[in-house]
Amino acid sequence: MSLHDVSGNANDCEAGVAVQASVQRRKIIMTAVLAFQSLGAIYGDIGTSPLYVFSSIFATGIPTEHQILGAASCIFWAFTIVVMVKYCIIVLFLGPNNGEGGQVALYAKLARTLHVGPRGVVLPGEMEADDRLLLAKSVTHDSQISRMRYRLSGWFEETALPKLLMGLCFFGCSLVLSDGLLTPTTSVLSAIGGIAVAAPSLNNAVLPISCGVLILLFLSQRFGSGKLANIFAPIVLVWLLAIAVVGIINITKYPAVFKALSPAFAVDFLREQGGVDVLGGVMLSMTGVEAMFADVGHFGRLPIQLSLSGIVYPSLMLAYLGQAAYLVLNPSSISNVFYLSIPGGINTPQYWILFVLATLATVIASQALILGVFSILRQMIHIDCFPAFHVRHTSSRVFGQVYIPVVNYILMVGVVLTTVGFRTSSNVTAAYGLGISMDFFVTTTLITFCLVYVYRVAWYLYVPFFLGFGTLDMCFVAAGVRKVPHGAWFPLVVTIVMTSFISFWRWARSLKVDNEFDSRVRVGTIFDGLEKNVDRNAETLVLGRVITTSLFQGDDIEPGRIVPLKELAPGVADEQQSESSPPSLNSTALRLRTDPKVELARMPGVVALLHSNVTQTLHSPHTLPQILSRLLNIFPGLPEHVILLGSRVSDKPFIAEDSRVNVHAMRNMPGFYRCVMRSGFMESGHISDTIMREILTLVEAEGVKSVCHVIENSRVYARRRKFTGRFRILRAGPELARTFMIEQVFSPLDRVFERKRFDEQDKTERNGYDVRVLYIGTIVSL
């Protein structure tokens, strides 16, 4: 090796190190930017809790110095244990699934490991084989992933555990949704209430102003969480620094407040209060932490951990200790300690500055719950457990930043009605906290199951975790139950209604999916002679290219090499046709399995796209959708080219043009193809004229006159059952309820969302051929 070569290698190494350093710097900068943005989207709720926590703990009287220090100690240690240790360290490390957070992510991780997920659903984070490989091979979905699964055994794991996990997931999601109604109401009413402190004559204006602020917040969601975070983050940062400064000023007046950091004060306080009832007020200091976990997909785990531990935690602890110090010196100010503890008093410039900041911060506080609701419902839609509302991705860089228009407006109406119903912040805080504490326990339970089945840790690790955090969570639940007569019944009712609806929807969808799978027919049931002399080793993958198989072995063509289809040597193509039992791809001879056998006529120049479930398209190579048999009953013949089309959305923002469409010619069935169309999450997913031309090229369709999208338009009915016997009336009651829910609730919604997927197809560009949409009606009995 020459000296010049050595010098060149050294320069290459230096260049590689420089590139790696540049990439690392960009990652650090991106993490810092996301951490800053997370301030404006996640911590508004938990950051505005100092507005009402102490007032809620001492709602019935003036506290003593020892009680104030005890309450401050409870806030400090509860926040540290639950928020910092449990969520920041444990949950954010073990909980996220495929970058997403919340109970749905925990369920998806467990269901993927235990192989108990909904049928026909690709769970987030599930490792899949390439579409081309699945199209080329006759394999089943389970055989591809069974080696990755945890083997279940026993009655509990096989029967009870799957239902328990799904039930916990639905219940936890419903708790977050009910919390999404109360959090904006509590935060905004508490902040706007500062007007009444300085100007009591404006007390009646608090409610209408709060409703107006909430409406403006929901209307701004259409701009996306990324843009809103850039606007909100500086405000929340200034707010956190401001309350920290106010806290420091009050602490200097009573430095002995740091005694509250001793857990002995918390224990004594709980003992003096005679139980855990006071924890209902302490619980309010941690509101929003579940939304923080649910919003992981918007910003990522590390940015959230950095912003929480570096800015949010120290600022809030200084604010709470400062309020405790002020209360020790001014215990009669407990009714509105936040505003009264501002240095200088009311109607001063600093008072109104903090009032404006508090108002803006509480508006932003609602943002965390709104984004959490969007994130959770997007995941629920993905696993087919919620109606498929339109989900709009607002960022091409972060997959989890989404906006669901219909849900946004439904939530806006619900929040405004809740605000009008409760009227004052004190009424809301009396009902607030029970749902959050129950959500804590659900998360603890699901994390424990993850430790057992996903991470397979020893029992001496997951048992203390569940007993320790589970016991603390149940103490918060017990304290929240005392609030039921005072308004806590509201989140319970909302949770029960939402859990019932989600459970019903999943049950009905599972029945329909089972019907779709069971109604598929084997090709030999419709066509004659297709199950004879099938060479299962002869596979032709049409991608505008052919992946050669064992039939193409020679000096010029190596097995596995990709060569253009039309550039194959004529001799090789002849050899393929002579040695393989399937007829030529250009043959149009197909016979129906009738008596006598009828040769099926083909319509030249006509291409039919049969839209079907992508899972069935990929993993059922020897079956056909039932819609095809109905198509044969409608038309006297089949189109020249019939394409079974399934579509899927990638977790990448955009898909390269040469990877959008994969097509495979079906064996023994001339003119029949299985096709998978992929689109990025930032793309529309509709079949544009460009994609249509690509499909026609891949199937070698020439002289096309018409393209017809064939779509199943199913109407769901409930199966009628007749009951006899002495108790037939009692048995008929549940059956009538079942019939009503299926036909009057599920069926209309299902038709709307199924039809919506294809409404854009008839808008496809016409470029040399007609494009039509044919809806074929079917009856589905559940």
Side-chain angles (χ1 to χ4, degrees):
M1 180 180 293
S2 65
L3 182 61
H4 177 73
D5 294 335
V6 173
S7 175
N9 292 337
N11 291 334
D12 291 341
C13 291
E14 292 178 359
V17 172
V19 170
Q20 291 180 356
S22 177
V23 172
Q24 191 66 25
R25 282 195 299 270
R26 285 197 296 269
K27 288 183 178 178
I28 294 175
I29 293 174
M30 186 63 183
T31 301
V33 171
L34 289 173
F36 175 70
Q37 288 182 339
S38 68
L39 291 173
I42 294 179
Y43 301 113
D45 185 11
I46 202 170
T48 53
S49 295
L51 287 168
Y52 46 78
V53 171
F54 273 106
S55 301
S56 299
I57 294 175
F58 301 109
T60 57
I62 298 177
T64 64
E65 176 182 354
H66 193 72
Q67 290 175 333
I68 294 170
L69 294 178
S73 182
C74 284
I75 293 172
F76 174 80
W77 284 107
F79 195 99
T80 302
I81 294 172
V82 175
V83 178
M84 300 305 298
V85 177
K86 176 184 173 182
Y87 278 89
C88 184
I89 297 177
I90 299 176
V91 173
L92 288 183
F93 268 104
L94 303 180
N97 175 64
N98 198 36
E100 298 286 346
Q103 283 83 1
V104 184
L106 292 171
Y107 168 75
K109 179 180 291 189
L110 285 162
R112 188 182 70 245
T113 303
L114 301 174
H115 198 186
V116 295
R119 187 179 184 184
V121 172
V122 179
L123 295 171
E126 192 164 64
M127 198 172 74
E128 282 197 330
D130 188 82
D131 292 346
R132 292 172 294 182
L133 179 62
L134 291 178
L135 286 171
K137 292 185 177 181
S138 300
V139 295
T140 62
H141 181 61
D142 291 344
S143 66
Q144 282 289 315
I145 59 178
S146 59
R147 58 179 174 271
M148 300 187 300
R149 306 291 190 175
Y150 180 88
R151 295 297 182 180
L152 297 178
S153 60
W155 173 84
F156 177 74
E157 287 82 0
E158 293 179 355
T159 305
L161 183 59
K163 297 179 180 179
L164 175 62
L165 294 178
M166 183 170 283
L168 286 172
C169 173
F170 293 169
F171 186 66
C173 293
S174 301
L175 287 170
V176 174
L177 296 177
S178 67
D179 193 26
L181 296 177
L182 287 178
T183 297
T185 302
T186 305
S187 302
V188 174
L189 282 175
S190 298
I192 304 299
I195 296 177
V197 176
S201 60
L202 297 178
N203 186 58
N204 294 331
V206 171
L207 181 60
I209 293 176
S210 299
C211 292
V213 168
L214 289 169
I215 291 173
L216 289 176
L217 174 67
F218 281 99
L219 293 179
S220 66
Q221 296 303 311
R222 56 188 296 270
F223 298 109
S225 58
K227 294 180 180 179
L228 292 177
N230 289 328
I231 299 173
F232 292 163
I235 299 173
V236 174
L237 178 61
V238 173
W239 161 257
L240 291 173
L241 295 178
I243 62 175
V245 170
V246 171
I248 292 173
I249 294 174
N250 286 317
I251 289 173
T252 58
K253 299 177 182 178
Y254 185 74
V257 73
F258 283 108
K259 294 186 297 183
L261 300 184
S262 170
F265 280 88
V267 174
D268 292 341
F269 178 67
L270 294 176
R271 186 184 301 115
E272 290 176 4
Q273 297 299 315
V276 297
D277 293 354
V278 71
L279 290 179
V282 175
M283 176 71 218
L284 298 180
S285 66
M286 296 173 284
T287 58
V289 67
E290 276 293 340
M292 178 189 73
F293 177 40
D295 290 338
V296 168
H298 288 266
F299 301 97
R301 172 180 57 83
L302 182 58
I304 292 177
Q305 291 174 322
L306 291 175
S307 58
L308 177 61
S309 58
I311 299 176
V312 178
Y313 178 64
S315 298
L316 288 177
M317 293 304 101
L318 288 173
Y320 285 123
L321 291 174
Q323 289 185 16
Y326 178 83
L327 282 175
V328 170
L329 302 177
N330 304 277
S332 60
S333 301
I334 188 62
S335 60
N336 205 324
V337 61
F338 174 80
Y339 284 109
L340 295 176
S341 65
I342 296 175
I346 61 175
N347 283 324
T348 59
Q350 57 266 31
Y351 175 89
W352 290 110
I353 291 174
L354 275 174
F355 169 75
V356 172
L357 286 176
T359 303
L360 295 175
T362 49
V363 171
I364 299 169
S366 308
Q367 183 70 14
L369 256 297
I370 295 171
L371 295 185
V373 170
F374 288 166
S375 179
I376 286 175
L377 291 185
R378 187 200 66 77
Q379 295 178 71
M380 293 286 284
I381 292 170
H382 184 94
I383 63 174
D384 201 15
C385 293
F386 202 80
F389 291 105
H390 172 65
V391 177
R392 182 163 65 87
H393 291 264
T394 59
S395 172
S396 60
R397 293 184 302 173
V398 183
F399 176 71
Q401 292 187 5
V402 297
Y403 167 61
I404 308 178
V406 176
V407 173
N408 180 66
Y409 294 118
I410 293 175
L411 193 61
M412 179 183 72
V413 173
V415 168
V416 171
L417 292 178
T418 303
T419 304
V420 174
F422 281 97
R423 300 190 66 83
T424 65
S425 60
S426 58
N427 292 336
V428 186
T429 53
Y432 201 34
L434 176 58
I436 301 171
S437 58
M438 296 174 72
D439 215 5
F440 284 177
F441 184 74
V442 172
T443 300
T444 299
T445 305
L446 290 174
I447 287 289
T448 304
F449 280 123
C450 285
L451 292 173
V452 175
Y453 294 106
V454 178
Y455 300 105
R456 310 290 298 280
V457 302
W459 66 270
Y460 51 81
L461 293 177
Y462 64 78
V463 169
F465 171 83
F466 180 75
L467 292 179
F469 289 108
T471 301
L472 182 59
D473 295 339
M474 290 308 297
C475 289
F476 288 126
V477 172
V481 168
R482 296 294 186 95
K483 295 183 177 183
V484 171
H486 307 287
W489 56 266
F490 177 78
L492 287 181
V493 171
V494 174
T495 299
I496 292 173
V497 171
M498 288 303 304
T499 303
S500 301
F501 174 77
I502 297 173
S503 301
F504 163 74
W505 182 266
R506 179 58 230 163
W507 169 75
R509 279 294 301 167
S510 65
L511 292 180
K512 188 178 180 184
V513 170
D514 290 342
N515 181 273
E516 291 176 357
F517 275 91
D518 297 340
S519 64
R520 291 182 69 89
V521 294
R522 297 190 65 84
V523 293
T525 304
I526 301 178
F527 302 109
D528 181 59
L530 297 187
E531 295 185 342
K532 300 177 182 178
N533 303 321
V534 176
D535 185 356
R536 297 187 181 276
N537 293 322
E539 305 260 358
T540 303
L541 184 63
V542 182
L543 296 164
R545 303 171 291 241
V546 170
I547 296 183
T548 59
T549 62
S550 59
L551 294 177
F552 306 110
Q553 296 184 8
D555 296 332
D556 298 329
I557 301 178
E558 301 175 359
R561 192 168 72 85
I562 300 178
V563 297
L565 180 62
K566 293 186 177 181
E567 295 180 11
L568 283 174
V572 175
D574 295 340
E575 180 183 355
Q576 178 190 11
Q577 294 184 6
S578 61
E579 294 189 16
S580 176
S581 59
S584 168
L585 292 178
N586 294 324
S587 172
T588 58
L590 274 178
R591 291 178 298 171
L592 291 176
R593 184 179 286 276
T594 56
D595 190 16
K597 303 297 186 293
V598 177
E599 187 172 302
L600 191 63
R602 306 298 283 265
M603 294 178 282
V606 179
V607 176
L609 294 176
L610 269 68
H611 294 262
S612 62
N613 185 289
V614 66
T615 303
Q616 298 168 353
T617 302
L618 281 172
H619 306 293
S620 301
H622 305 302
T623 63
L624 297 170
Q626 191 180 31
I627 189 176
L628 182 63
S629 61
R630 295 186 60 81
L631 189 65
L632 291 173
N633 294 331
I634 296 174
F635 293 102
L638 275 179
E640 183 179 5
H641 300 277
V642 179
I643 303 172
L644 308 182
L645 177 66
S647 59
R648 66 192 316 177
V649 179
S650 172
D651 57 359
K652 298 178 181 179
F654 302 99
I655 299 296
E657 291 186 2
D658 58 348
S659 302
R660 287 184 179 180
V661 179
N662 295 322
V663 181
H664 184 270
M666 298 181 66
R667 278 194 305 270
N668 286 354
M669 301 184 65
F672 276 75
Y673 305 88
R674 289 187 296 143
C675 175
V676 175
M677 184 188 73
R678 301 182 67 200
S679 61
F681 63 80
M682 293 297 293
E683 298 173 321
S684 66
H686 298 301
I687 303 178
S688 64
D689 187 66
T690 302
I691 295 177
M692 190 69 246
R693 284 293 181 185
E694 184 178 354
I695 294 175
L696 297 179
T697 301
L698 296 181
V699 301
E700 299 182 354
E702 299 179 356
V704 176
K705 301 176 183 178
S706 178
V707 172
C708 182
H709 296 274
V710 182
I711 300 168
E712 183 177 9
N713 185 21
S714 60
R715 182 180 292 274
V716 178
Y717 288 94
R719 292 176 180 173
R720 297 300 193 268
R721 302 177 183 177
K722 294 183 178 180
F723 298 100
T724 59
R726 181 178 304 175
F727 301 103
R728 60 182 179 273
I729 297 178
L730 296 178
R731 297 169 62 188
E735 188 66 20
L736 289 175
R738 178 183 184 274
T739 301
F740 175 82
M741 292 298 295
I742 289 177
E743 296 183 357
Q744 305 302 324
V745 179
F746 175 76
S747 181
L749 287 175
D750 184 67
R751 291 188 68 198
V752 167
F753 290 110
E754 286 293 325
R755 187 73 176 260
K756 177 177 65 67
R757 294 166 49 197
F758 306 106
D759 282 345
E760 296 292 331
Q761 300 299 348
D762 57 352
K763 300 178 183 178
T764 304
E765 300 176 19
R766 276 76 170 170
N767 190 358
Y769 52 83
D770 293 330
V771 177
R772 304 179 184 278
V773 178
L774 175 64
Y775 289 94
I776 297 182
T778 58
I779 302 298
V780 178
S781 297
L782 302 182

